[in-house]
Amino acid sequence: MVFPRIPLARVSHLHSTTLFPFLPLLLSSSPMASRSLLPFPSLTSIATVSAAQSQDLSTSSLPSPSHKAENRWKPMCLYFTQGKCTMIDDPMHLEKFNHNCSWDLQVDAALLNRIRPQNLDYFLVLDLEGKIEILEFPVVMIDAKNMEVVDFFHRFVRPSQMSEQKINEYIEGKYGKFGVDRVWHDTAIPFTDVVHQFEAWLAEHQLWQRELGGSLNRAAFVTCGNWDLKTKVPQQCKVSSMRLPSYFMEWINLKDAYLNFYKRRATGMVTMMKELRLPLLGSHHLGLDDTKNISRVLQRMLADGAVVQITARRNPNIPEEVNFLFKDRIR
């Protein structure tokens, strides 16, 4: 099976003037202890690496890895996903970490003629992490016409209502087992800042405009269940003393879409992947990895001819009230 080369997903770099450049996970010493403070653009400025520039980065300016290394799965550099990797030209770092979000989401060109016209242009696959407060906010943007990765957004989120001791215990238990607790501590920012940066990312892709408000422009969130947007985001907004953004008013629960298309129940991502014979890549319950695996389920459904539609919508007058649009759904 031959796969076409798909351009590296574009990466939006959003920095505040108080951030240090961070070293990748492999270094044993603290990146902030070994670097002096450097100036960064303001929070609202966006320096975007174009798809073509990113492709050049992965093929010309970076050391060429071996053919074997190119074909084995590698974890994403979680500093890179947040625009903070400073070792992009280090061969040893590149050997251990992936810097191309679309690498394991490539599409077989032979499947493209099986895709049916969709009612949306883009799917924003989202899988939040954090039971007490949101700890991770990852989004993968999928083109509905060709299933390709257009871009991604990834931020670790620092709780606002927890003591430092409680945060340390919480993060060690949640992310320590994945070996990414240090990168979380280095990069996590408050939820209000994450939302601000995410809205700039949405505007960059012309998916939403603050001035106009309202829902997304021909795009929809895709989640594995209703919990993320029905329950957790509203809870976090209350904790963070902010209004629920208008673009969180509707979404696609992939469990319901899966049930109505394949006519069989799947209670979660792992079940769907097993039934579709898709291997689980990365660490389950690491938000970015789960988001990419959910994206692979979505890609498979599109390739099988599914028309993926909105499954849940809030009452605009009573946001707490959610209308579920499919009669057959996972409860």
Side-chain angles (χ1 to χ4, degrees):
M1 183 178 295
V2 178
F3 290 88
R5 189 175 186 87
I6 293 179
L8 175 64
R10 300 192 303 147
V11 186
S12 300
H13 299 278
L14 299 174
H15 299 284
S16 77
T17 56
T18 59
L19 289 177
F20 289 86
F22 298 103
L23 296 180
L25 181 63
L26 287 178
L27 300 184
S28 57
S29 61
S30 169
M32 293 185 287
S34 61
R35 298 276 178 163
S36 60
L37 182 63
L38 297 178
F40 281 87
S42 66
L43 184 64
T44 55
S45 65
I46 306 172
T48 303
V49 179
S50 69
Q53 289 172 323
S54 297
Q55 188 61 50
D56 291 341
L57 178 66
S58 65
T59 58
S60 60
S61 62
L62 301 183
S64 299
S66 65
H67 180 72
K68 180 178 180 181
E70 288 179 347
N71 286 279
R72 68 177 176 83
W73 185 88
K74 294 182 289 188
M76 287 292 299
C77 170
L78 298 181
Y79 288 91
F80 174 78
T81 61
Q82 300 175 85
K84 301 184 179 80
C85 179
T86 61
M87 299 190 69
I88 197 69
D89 57 350
D90 186 318
M92 291 184 61
H93 176 67
L94 296 176
E95 177 70 18
K96 293 179 180 293
F97 294 101
N98 177 23
H99 293 72
N100 181 349
C101 190
S102 66
W103 184 87
D104 46 4
L105 290 168
Q106 297 184 45
V107 178
D108 183 351
L111 300 177
L112 297 180
N113 60 1
R114 296 165 56 180
I115 302 176
R116 297 178 62 188
Q118 304 292 316
N119 298 320
L120 300 162
D121 292 335
Y122 301 103
F123 298 108
L124 304 181
V125 184
L126 166 72
D127 190 72
L128 303 174
E129 292 295 333
K131 293 182 178 179
I132 301 175
E133 291 192 45
I134 293 174
L135 301 176
E136 188 176 357
F137 191 104
V139 176
V140 173
M141 181 178 178
I142 302 289
D143 191 312
K145 298 182 183 65
N146 56 26
M147 302 187 290
E148 292 183 5
V149 175
V150 178
D151 200 355
F152 64 93
F153 179 91
H154 180 232
R155 296 291 184 271
F156 284 122
V157 187
R158 178 169 291 277
S160 59
Q161 300 294 320
M162 296 173 63
S163 67
E164 283 299 315
Q165 179 180 353
K166 189 66 176 178
I167 289 176
N168 291 336
E169 294 173 354
Y170 192 21
I171 296 307
E172 182 179 359
K174 170 65 178 175
Y175 288 112
K177 59 185 176 182
F178 303 136
V180 300
D181 49 332
R182 177 184 161 195
V183 65
W184 187 94
H185 282 292
D186 283 348
T187 61
I189 59 177
F191 182 72
T192 51
D193 291 348
V194 171
V195 169
H196 182 78
Q197 295 183 11
F198 182 60
E199 290 179 352
W201 184 85
L202 289 174
E204 177 190 355
H205 290 289
Q206 299 181 344
L207 299 177
W208 182 82
Q209 293 184 14
R210 183 189 303 274
E211 297 78 12
L212 300 178
S215 58
L216 297 175
N217 179 27
R218 292 196 58 78
F221 290 103
V222 177
T223 60
C224 189
N226 293 307
W227 176 84
D228 301 79
L229 295 183
K230 176 180 180 291
T231 304
K232 197 60 198 175
V233 166
Q235 287 179 350
Q236 185 65 58
C237 287
K238 289 182 180 179
V239 169
S240 300
S241 301
M242 60 178 292
R243 295 182 61 183
L244 178 68
S246 60
Y247 46 81
F248 286 134
M249 299 296 282
E250 59 184 23
W251 61 90
I252 297 166
N253 177 359
L254 202 61
K255 294 180 185 179
D256 291 347
Y258 185 97
L259 169 63
N260 283 269
F261 179 66
Y262 291 114
K263 306 304 179 185
R264 57 178 184 256
R265 301 175 66 84
T267 56
M269 178 192 77
V270 174
T271 303
M272 288 189 280
M273 297 189 75
K274 286 181 178 179
E275 291 186 352
L276 297 175
R277 298 184 180 181
L278 296 172
L280 183 71
L281 298 180
S283 300
H284 189 23
H285 295 308
L286 179 60
L288 183 61
D289 286 350
D290 281 354
T291 299
K292 293 173 73 175
N293 280 317
I294 295 168
S295 298
R296 293 167 63 225
V297 173
L298 172 64
Q299 287 176 322
R300 175 60 179 274
M301 290 181 63
L302 294 172
D304 285 347
V307 176
V308 182
Q309 303 181 66
I310 300 292
T311 64
R313 181 174 290 121
R314 294 184 183 280
N315 183 331
N317 299 317
I318 311 174
E320 296 78 13
E321 181 180 305
V322 176
N323 298 314
F324 298 104
L325 309 182
F326 284 24
K327 180 179 178 180
D328 295 328
R329 63 186 185 90
I330 303 294
R331 300 179 187 274

